[in-house]
Amino acid sequence: MLRFLTAVLLLLSMRPAQAEDGYDLWLRYRPMEAAAQAQVRPLATAIVAQGASATLDAAKAELNQGLSGLLNQPVGSGAVRDGAVVIGTPSSSPLIAGLKLPLTGLGKEGYLLRSTSLNGHAVTIIAANSDIGVLYGSFAFLRLIQTRRPIARLDLASAPRLKFRLLNHWDNLDGTIERGYAGHSIFDWQKLPDYVDPRFRVMARANASVGINGISVNNVSADVWMLSSLYLDKLAALADALRPYGIRVYIAAKFSAPVELGKLKTADPADAQVQAWWKKEADSIYRRIPDFGGFVVKANSEGQPGPRDYDRSQADGANVIADALAPHGGTVFWRAFVYSEKDPTDRAKQAYNEFKPLDGKFRDNVFVQTKNGAIDFQPREPAHPMFGAMPKTNLALEVQITKEYLGQTTHLVYLPVLFKEVLDWDTMAKGKGSTVAKVVDGSLEGHDTSAMVGVSNIGDDRNWTGAQFSQADWYGFGRLAWNPDLSAEQIAREWLGMSFTNDPAFVSALAPMMIKSREAVVDYMTPLGLHHQFATGHHYGPGPWVSDLARPEWNPVYYNRADAKGVGFDRTPTGSDATSQYAPPLAKLFSGPDIPERDLLWFQHVAWDHKMKSGRTLWDELALHYQSGVDWVRATRSTWAALAGQIDPERHAAISKKLAIQERDAVWWRDACLLYFQTFAKRPLPSGVESPAKTLAVYKERALEW
Ligand code: GCV
C-alpha cells in the first residue's frame, strides 16, 4: 500500500507544471521554496475545528488547500497536537472557549491569530466571535505564510474599519458589462438557478480573502427585470453559493420599477401605492434571500428615472425604498452621481448643490454613495466636495476598480495609489486631519455605520480581470476597505508575493514600479489637473479637441478651456466658484497662488507663460509631464524585460505585450494633446520633449476610427 501511495505521489509530482494563466489570482498556493516549507511545516501539522457550518467548512477547506499547496504535502484535519492550527469561535468550539481569548472589540467580523499552548501542545489559534471572522482569519494566516512572514509567535488581532465593503458589478442581464474589459459577465443568468457555476465559489473566496462582504450584481443603469420573480429566483441560488463566504447580494434597482414592473401609473415616492409596491417587492426578495443586502440606485443621472421626475428630492426617493427595506435590515446605496441635462452650472458643482441641502434628511439605512471626485473617475481628481460637507448623512465612498479612464486593461496602472490619495485627502471639515477615510469610516462625525464601494473589474476572462496586474486593483480595494491605513506599497508587496514570487529582488523592482504607475498615467493623459480629455464613447484615447457633443459637459473642451491666453477651468470665485464648496482653508488654497500644482488646471485657468515652481513656464512644464509619462513606460518595459526567466513565461509574455501597447498609447496621448494645445500656446516644445511623429489631423482621425 505504501509503495502504491508513493508511486501515485511520484506520478503526481511528475505532472507538467501548471501553466500560469492567472486564474488562481492571489490564492495561488504553489509550493514554497524548501527552506520556507521546513520552517512552516512544524507549525501547520493539522487543522482542528469544532463546530459545523458552511462558513467553517469553507475556512477548513481553504486552510487545507492553502497549507497543502504551500507545504507540498497534505495537511488535513486532526486532533490537537504540536503544530495544530485550531480554529473556531467560543460558542461553537469548547477548545477556543476554554482559552478565554480577548475577542470583545473584534466585532462580528474581526479575528485573532495567536500562538499559544493548548492541552500541553504548541498550537496556532484562529479565533473570532463568528464563523465569518474565522474565515477571514484563515485567509490572513495563509497570507502571512504566502508572503513569508514569521508565524511562530503570532499575536495579531484585526477587525474591519468599514462595515460595508462592497463591489458593484455593472453587468447587464444580457452578459455584457458596462465599462467591463475582462470579457463577459460571470453571472450566467440563463443557466441559474439550476446550474451554479463553480467560478462563483472562486470569486467568493477571492472576495472573502480581502474582506469584501457584498456585491451588487447588475448595472446601476439598471434593467428593471432584475427585480422580477424570475430573476429573484436566480439571484437566490447565487446568494446561496456566496453566503458561506460572508457575501450578501444586492440589486441595482430602477426607480421606475413600480411603473415598469408593478404597472402603477406613477413611481412618485409620495404615492401610497408606490410605497406599498416597494414594501411588497422587498418582502418578496427577503422571502427568497433572508440576508439580502439591499439596493443600489442611480436616479436622475444620465437618463435614469428618479424622484426629480415627480418634483421630489433625492432624499424622498431614497427614503421610500429605505422604508421598505428597513424591517428586513436592508440598506439603500443612493448614488450621488447626479447632474442635470438642463442645468448649465459647472458639472463639478451639481451633486453638492443638490445633496448638501438634504443633509440629515436621509434615513439611517441610506448611504449616499459618492464617487471619489466630482466628475467621473478621472486619472486624478480632487476629492469630492461632499466629503466632510454632509455631517448628518452616511456617505459611502465609491471608487472605480475597472479602469474606464486609465487605460482599461492594456495599461499597467496600480489603482490603490489613487484610492489612498482620496482616503488620505484632508477635507479640513473639522480642522486638520479630517480625512476622507475618517468621513467614510464614520469616525469624524460619530456615525455607527460606514461603507466603501468599488466598481468591479471582473469578467469571465480566464484571469478574471483581463490583465494580470489589474488583479492587484481588486485585491487592493478589498484590503483598503478593511483597513484604509494600509499603505499602497504594503499592498503591492503582498500582492506581488502572493501572485508571483517573494524573491526580494523581484518585489523590490516591481513594487516601486507599481507605485509610480499611477502618476505616469496622469502624466501622459491629464497632467497638472487637466481632466476628461477622452475621446467620445470609449474613454480610452485622447480627444482634447472634441466639441461637438450634444451637452457641453460631455466635451473635453468644456474641461480644458484652452485658448490663446492659457488653459484650465476657472473654478475660483471669478469663475464657477466650485472652490467655495470646499472647507474655507481649501477654498482659499485652491483659488490662490499656492494651489498644489497637481490640481492647478482643475481649479484655475492659467496663462501659458505662468511661472511654475520649477521656474519653467506652464507650457514647458505641461509638455515635460507628458514626456515623463512616456519615459516611465519605456523604463518599465526595460525593467520588465530584465525579469524574463524570473517568472513564468506565460505571464511574462502577456505583460510584455501589454506594456508595448501602453508605450504606443502614451506616445499617442502625449503627441495628440501637445499638438492640440500647441495650436493655442503657439510655443515650441521644450528640449527633452520628442517631436510628434504625426500631425494633429492624423490623431483626430484615429480617435474617430477607434
Ligand atoms: C454606469 C460614467 C460611465 C458610465 C456609468 C456612469 C455611472 O459616466 O461612463 O458608463 O454608467 O459613469 O457611474 O453611472
Side-chain angles (χ1 to χ4, degrees):
M1 183 65 179
L2 194 64
R3 260 209 243 144
F4 173 73
L5 276 179
T6 316
V8 171
L9 281 178
L10 194 72
L11 271 177
L12 283 176
S13 70
M14 282 163 53
R15 279 180 317 175
Q18 196 179 332
E20 292 277 9
D21 55 15
Y23 181 75
D24 294 335
L25 296 157
W26 49 90
L27 306 174
R28 247 167 97 256
Y29 305 143
R30 300 283 190 278
M32 300 191 289
E33 54 288 356
Q37 286 186 27
Q39 260 181 12
V40 176
R41 276 185 181 169
L43 302 167
T45 55
I47 301 154
V48 182
Q50 294 172 312
S53 75
T55 301
L56 270 184
D57 286 349
K60 274 189 276 180
E62 199 66 37
L63 286 169
N64 179 291
Q65 183 180 342
L67 294 172
S68 303
L70 290 160
L71 299 178
N72 207 19
Q73 67 175 22
V75 180
S77 306
V80 176
R81 67 181 82 151
D82 281 340
V85 180
V86 183
I87 71 172
T89 68
S91 54
S92 62
S93 162
L95 285 172
I96 297 287
L99 287 167
K100 310 238 172 303
L101 297 162
L103 298 178
T104 42
L106 291 181
K108 192 177 155 281
E109 296 178 301
Y111 57 82
L112 177 73
L113 307 183
R114 182 173 277 190
S115 312
T116 191
S117 163
L118 184 62
N119 302 344
H121 295 285
V123 299
T124 303
I125 301 293
I126 303 178
N129 292 313
S130 71
D131 292 349
I132 189 62
V134 175
L135 180 66
Y136 290 151
S138 302
F139 278 114
F141 179 64
L142 288 168
R143 182 164 55 236
L144 292 175
I145 301 173
Q146 285 177 282
T147 52
R148 310 294 186 269
R149 305 268 294 283
I151 56 159
R153 276 183 288 279
L154 283 178
D155 190 8
L156 191 163
S158 180
R161 279 260 297 280
L162 282 93
K163 187 170 170 197
F164 294 90
R165 305 174 299 277
L166 310 179
L167 291 183
N168 282 179
H169 291 263
W170 284 359
D171 296 19
N172 297 311
L173 303 193
D174 65 1
T176 57
I177 306 179
E178 179 146 355
R179 310 303 178 187
Y181 312 103
H184 277 74
S185 172
I186 69 158
F187 304 123
D188 46 357
W189 297 112
Q190 180 234 335
K191 294 188 203 132
L192 281 162
D194 304 311
Y195 176 77
V196 178
D197 194 318
R199 282 179 309 177
F200 298 155
R201 191 175 153 265
V202 184
M203 178 187 76
R205 287 174 51 228
N207 280 335
S209 76
V210 290
I212 289 167
N213 62 3
I215 62 168
S216 69
V217 296
N218 60 316
N219 190 354
V220 287
S221 296
D223 188 328
V224 74
W225 206 231
M226 194 66 226
L227 293 166
S228 67
S229 48
L230 178 75
Y231 273 82
L232 294 181
D233 287 341
K234 295 168 184 285
L235 187 65
L238 177 62
D240 290 344
L242 305 184
R243 188 169 295 113
Y245 295 88
I247 295 162
R248 297 169 83 181
V249 294
Y250 295 70
I251 290 176
K254 194 168 183 184
F255 192 76
S256 54
V259 176
E260 289 184 58
L261 260 192
K263 305 293 172 220
L264 299 182
K265 291 214 167 53
T266 177
D268 183 349
D271 184 285
Q273 278 187 307
V274 172
Q275 294 161 5
W277 187 88
W278 282 111
K279 281 196 194 312
K280 203 170 101 244
E281 178 68 20
D283 293 347
S284 129
I285 297 176
Y286 281 94
R287 262 197 307 280
R288 295 171 168 89
I289 310 171
D291 57 352
F292 177 67
F295 297 126
V296 185
V297 187
K298 170 176 178 174
N300 293 125
S301 166
E302 301 188 326
Q304 294 299 309
R308 242 202 243 139
D309 308 351
Y310 305 95
D311 270 337
R312 309 286 175 203
S313 75
Q314 300 286 337
D316 296 332
N319 290 344
V320 66
I321 303 180
D323 288 344
L325 292 172
H328 306 282
T331 307
V332 173
F333 288 82
W334 188 266
R335 296 181 83 232
F337 182 62
V338 167
Y339 61 99
S340 156
E341 50 275 40
K342 294 173 201 115
D343 188 348
T345 309
D346 174 5
R347 173 175 163 187
K349 290 179 71 179
Q350 292 189 28
Y352 176 104
N353 286 348
E354 181 143 2
F355 281 86
K356 163 93 179 142
L358 299 174
D359 189 27
K361 302 240 158 42
F362 292 91
R363 298 279 192 266
D364 287 348
N365 62 331
V366 174
F367 279 92
V368 173
Q369 182 169 313
T370 309
K371 289 190 181 183
N372 58 281
I375 297 295
D376 193 12
F377 301 135
Q378 298 300 294
R380 168 167 285 129
E381 295 194 39
H384 203 299
M386 276 167 60
F387 293 114
M390 299 193 59
K392 290 184 246 150
T393 305
N394 299 321
L395 288 189
L397 167 64
E398 178 182 319
V399 295
Q400 196 184 44
I401 311 174
T402 189
K403 287 190 276 236
E404 174 179 356
Y405 296 99
L406 290 99
Q408 297 166 11
T409 52
T410 41
H411 294 202
L412 192 164
V413 178
Y414 173 62
L415 285 183
V417 174
L418 187 162
F419 303 159
K420 273 299 276 187
E421 190 170 287
V422 62
L423 287 165
D424 291 346
W425 171 281
D426 196 344
T427 69
M428 304 287 285
K430 293 179 100 177
K432 240 177 169 333
S434 309
T435 59
V436 170
K438 287 190 190 157
V439 174
V440 297
D441 77 5
S443 61
L444 191 70
E445 300 295 347
H447 292 282
D448 58 6
T449 191
S450 50
M452 186 162 159
V453 180
V455 179
S456 163
N457 64 347
I458 74 167
D460 69 356
D461 270 9
R462 179 74 188 158
N463 68 10
W464 295 92
T465 55
Q468 179 67 36
F469 270 90
S470 299
Q471 295 179 358
D473 302 326
W474 178 11
Y475 178 84
F477 166 79
R479 297 286 286 136
L480 285 170
W482 182 279
N483 179 6
D485 288 343
L486 290 177
S487 75
E489 164 120 20
Q490 176 185 335
I491 295 169
R493 286 178 173 272
E494 279 176 12
W495 178 81
L496 284 165
M498 296 162 86
S499 307
F500 290 100
T501 160
N502 286 284
D503 179 345
F506 178 85
V507 176
S508 304
L510 286 199
M513 180 271 264
M514 289 168 75
I515 297 296
K516 286 191 194 124
S517 63
R518 188 313 190 88
E519 201 58 40
V521 74
V522 171
D523 276 342
Y524 64 71
M525 286 187 178
T526 48
L528 297 175
L530 284 172
H531 49 291
H532 223 315
Q533 296 305 291
F534 296 84
T536 310
H538 54 69
H539 295 166
Y540 183 79
W545 49 79
V546 174
S547 62
D548 59 348
L549 300 177
R551 283 163 55 174
E553 73 281 356
W554 284 351
N555 292 289
V557 296
Y558 172 89
Y559 299 99
N560 68 50
R561 313 244 158 167
D563 59 21
K565 284 198 216 124
V567 63
F569 198 132
D570 183 3
R571 293 192 164 108
T572 71
T574 57
S576 80
D577 199 25
T579 48
S580 69
Q581 293 183 334
Y582 290 88
L586 293 189
K588 188 165 166 240
L589 181 71
F590 298 150
S591 306
D594 296 328
I595 179 171
E597 287 184 349
R598 66 173 208 192
D599 296 322
L600 181 63
L601 305 179
W602 184 284
F603 289 112
Q604 300 188 15
H605 190 264
V606 181
W608 295 113
D609 281 334
H610 170 81
K611 199 162 163 203
M612 303 291 283
K613 291 194 179 111
S614 62
R616 288 189 278 268
T617 64
L618 169 67
W619 166 251
D620 285 358
E621 189 83 9
L622 190 70
L624 285 162
H625 271 278
Y626 277 106
Q627 181 65 44
S628 132
V630 172
D631 293 345
W632 178 86
V633 185
R634 290 191 181 136
T636 298
R637 286 190 70 186
S638 315
T639 309
W640 188 254
L643 293 167
Q646 284 194 48
I647 62 159
D648 52 283
E650 295 91 352
R651 289 184 298 173
H652 190 271
I655 291 162
S656 295
K657 282 183 192 145
K658 294 246 168 120
L659 285 170
I661 299 173
Q662 188 170 2
E663 180 181 344
R664 180 203 68 192
D665 292 348
V667 169
W668 173 26
W669 268 95
R670 177 198 65 194
D671 292 353
C673 293
L674 286 178
L675 281 170
Y676 174 71
F677 292 133
Q678 204 173 28
T679 63
F680 301 98
K682 301 203 185 309
R683 284 152 175 82
L685 291 173
S687 82
V689 178
E690 292 158 19
S691 302
K694 302 189 176 83
T695 63
L696 184 57
V698 171
Y699 287 116
K700 285 187 175 176
E701 208 152 299
R702 178 163 176 204
L704 288 176
E705 282 166 2
W706 191 260

